[in-house]
């Protein structure tokens, strides 16, 4: 592969690499991921060949940060896992100054994979734990138990990782606040450097949502979910974690710079089946089926499935929607200057309504959620999405 030309990265896009394979397809998950047989090695080699082509064609300069996600990047067995990392490293020039995260699922982490990741220049790992409770893991269709989480953490620590993040899901049907506290405490016992805590969402088209529609699953009471959200923030603050985004808490490892850049509406190049990209108002999603994505790249065609260009006002609305998730909020003057849209005028009605409801406040130039608005970040933010405004007006 071609040599990397080092250039300053401050204004370079980020890179997202999508590995679409999983051991099982979890019932709640709407990511572009597929449960496949682990011995289908021809399919994996074809995937890696196509990934090489896309990386070579689309990564034109070293990215400011890298995130290898999925699916399950650690699903690939050791030699293919190593090849995947070396493909990324050869275009991205991974080094200590570039935040490089890999997602890992406990059941497929080995000590060798942890070491390979470290040697390739990965410096941050996000482990999908979700819960430590046997019944909760069963409900979520997870392929691991609590012991596998401890082994994965140990493997990454022993390989030299000092920035480990754990993903947890709360607000499961029937879950008590006490049960969620126990999960959180067990996660803290593993001394993570960062935590992501997501309320279970019922994404359309998932098995979980079908079960809910059939009445087999009853979502948790909204009041209990709010209490869990507030408990999470209170416990984690007390334990020295800084909530820098509604679901993300920085410990010793600091915030995830890759994700924070995304919430600041930064540009990113996404490679792999179904990966999304955004560059200065051009937004595209790759073809989602692995086969279709491979075929396009092998034929020398762009693997794009859908693309659109966004108007300035649409981008401004999205910048507010994304930025409101951050604890610091969103700098309105900076958006106006960057996009040439007077946001205070363009969204005057939306601002007035959110202020009236007590859900947002101004801190200098920054619009941010109040404590009352924070549990409803998505609902408050989506008021600024222009298509929603058009629907309300029609
Ligand atoms: C890209 S996903 C999956 C990463 C990895 N394959 C795993 O399962 O651990 C990243 C995180 O999003 C969260 N997530 C995915 N779907 C969710 C849902 N429907 N509701 C809440 N959190 C979800 C999970 O915490 C998950 O670890
Ligand atoms: S949650 Fe993770 S492991 Fe489960 S199907 Fe989605 S990407 Fe795969």
């Amino acid at each position: 592969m071609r040599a990397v030309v080092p250039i300053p990265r401050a204004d370079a896009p980020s890179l997202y690499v999508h590995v679409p394979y999983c051991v099982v397809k979890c019932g709640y998950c709407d990511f572009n991921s597929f449960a496949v047989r682990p011995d289908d090695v021809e399919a994996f080699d074809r995937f890696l060949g196509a990934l090489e082509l896309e990386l070579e064609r689309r990564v034109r300069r070293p990215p400011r940060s890298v995130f290898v996600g999925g699916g399950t990047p650690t699903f690939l067995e050791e030699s293919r896992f190593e090849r995947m990392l070396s493909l990324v490293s050869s275009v991205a020039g991974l080094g200590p100054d570039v935040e490089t995260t890999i997602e890992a699922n406990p059941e497929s982490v080995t000590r060798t994979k942890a070491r390979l990741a470290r040697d390739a220049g990965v410096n941050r790992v996000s482990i999908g734990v979700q819960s430590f409770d046997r019944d909760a893991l069963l409900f979520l269709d997870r392929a691991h138990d609590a012991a596998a989480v401890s082994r994965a953490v140990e493997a990454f620590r022993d390989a030299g990782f000092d920035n480990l993040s754990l993903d947890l899901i709360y607000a499961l049907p029937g879950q008590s606040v006490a049960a969620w506290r126990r999960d959180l405490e067990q996660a803290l016992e593993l001394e993570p450097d960062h935590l992501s805590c997501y309320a279970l969402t019922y994404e359309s088209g998932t098995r979980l949502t079908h079960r809910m529609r059939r009445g087999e699953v009853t979502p948790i009471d909204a009041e209990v979910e709010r209490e869990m959200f507030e408990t999470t923030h209170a416990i984690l603050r007390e334990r020295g974690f800084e909530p820098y985004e509604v679901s993300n808490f920085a410990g010793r490892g600091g915030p995830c710079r890759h994700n924070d850049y995304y919430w600041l509406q930064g540009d990113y190049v996404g490679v792999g089946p179904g990966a999304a990209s955004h560059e200065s108002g051009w937004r595209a999603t790759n073809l989602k089926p692995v086969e279709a994505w491979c075929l396009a790249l092998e034929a020398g065609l762009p693997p794009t499935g859908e693309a659109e260009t966004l108007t300035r006002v649409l981008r401004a609305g999205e910048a507010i929607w994304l930025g409101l998730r951050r604890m610091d909020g969103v700098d309105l003057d900076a958006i106006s200057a960057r996009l040439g849209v007077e946001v205070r005028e363009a969204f005057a009605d939306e601002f007035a309504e959110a202020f009236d409801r007590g859900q947002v406040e101004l801190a200098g130039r920054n619009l941010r959620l109040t404590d009352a608005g924070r549990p409803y970040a998505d609902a408050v933010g989506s008021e600024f999405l222009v298509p929603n405004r058009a629907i309300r007006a029609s």
Side-chain angles (χ1 to χ4, degrees), residues 82-125:
E82 183 176 24
R83 179 165 171 225
M84 185 267 294
L85 291 172
S86 104
L87 296 176
V88 175
S89 169
S90 62
V91 292
L94 309 181
D97 56 328
V98 185
E99 182 191 86
T100 303
T101 305
I102 190 161
E103 279 182 347
N105 280 34
E107 72 279 358
S108 53
V109 172
T110 64
R111 299 181 75 78
T112 305
K113 286 183 206 176
R115 165 59 52 199
L116 288 170
R118 192 71 196 151
D119 290 349
V122 176
N123 45 33
R124 191 171 178 278
V125 179

Side-chain angles (χ1 to χ4, degrees), residues 317-331:
E318 288 198 2
I320 298 171
W321 167 66
L322 282 170
L324 273 179
R325 299 191 61 85
R326 303 175 72 248
M327 214 63 181
D328 293 347
V330 56
D331 181 336

Side-chain angles (χ1 to χ4, degrees), residues 131-198:
S131 178
F132 295 89
D133 179 83
R134 221 180 115 260
D135 292 337
L137 290 169
L138 210 61
F139 171 78
L140 293 169
D141 305 310
R142 300 295 293 177
H144 62 86
D145 57 11
V149 176
S150 305
R151 283 197 299 275
V153 168
E154 198 179 299
F156 285 115
R157 289 289 189 216
D158 289 351
F161 283 94
D162 60 4
N163 199 350
L164 286 189
S165 178
L166 305 181
D167 282 0
L168 298 172
I169 300 184
Y170 65 94
L172 309 185
Q175 189 178 37
S176 64
V177 178
W180 164 235
R181 268 177 175 274
R182 278 197 297 278
D183 260 349
L184 206 47
E185 290 294 345
Q186 270 187 271
L188 288 167
E189 277 168 26
L190 294 171
E191 301 185 357
D193 307 293
H194 179 281
L195 276 165
S196 302
C197 302
Y198 302 107

Side-chain angles (χ1 to χ4, degrees), residues 206-221:
T206 58
R207 285 201 310 279
L208 177 68
T209 299
H210 289 308
R211 290 181 65 196
M212 189 227 339
R213 296 242 163 87
R214 287 198 299 265
E216 294 167 15
V217 161
T218 311
I220 201 163
D221 182 74

Side-chain angles (χ1 to χ4, degrees), residues 1 6 15 47 63 90 102 105-106 143-144 160 163-164 195 205 230 236 245 257 276 281 341 364 376 387:
M1 294 191 81
L15 172 64
F47 163 74
S90 62
I102 190 161
N105 280 34
H144 62 86
N163 199 350
L164 286 189
L195 276 165
E230 279 161 12
L236 292 182
E245 192 263 357
R257 285 181 242 160
V341 174
Y376 311 105

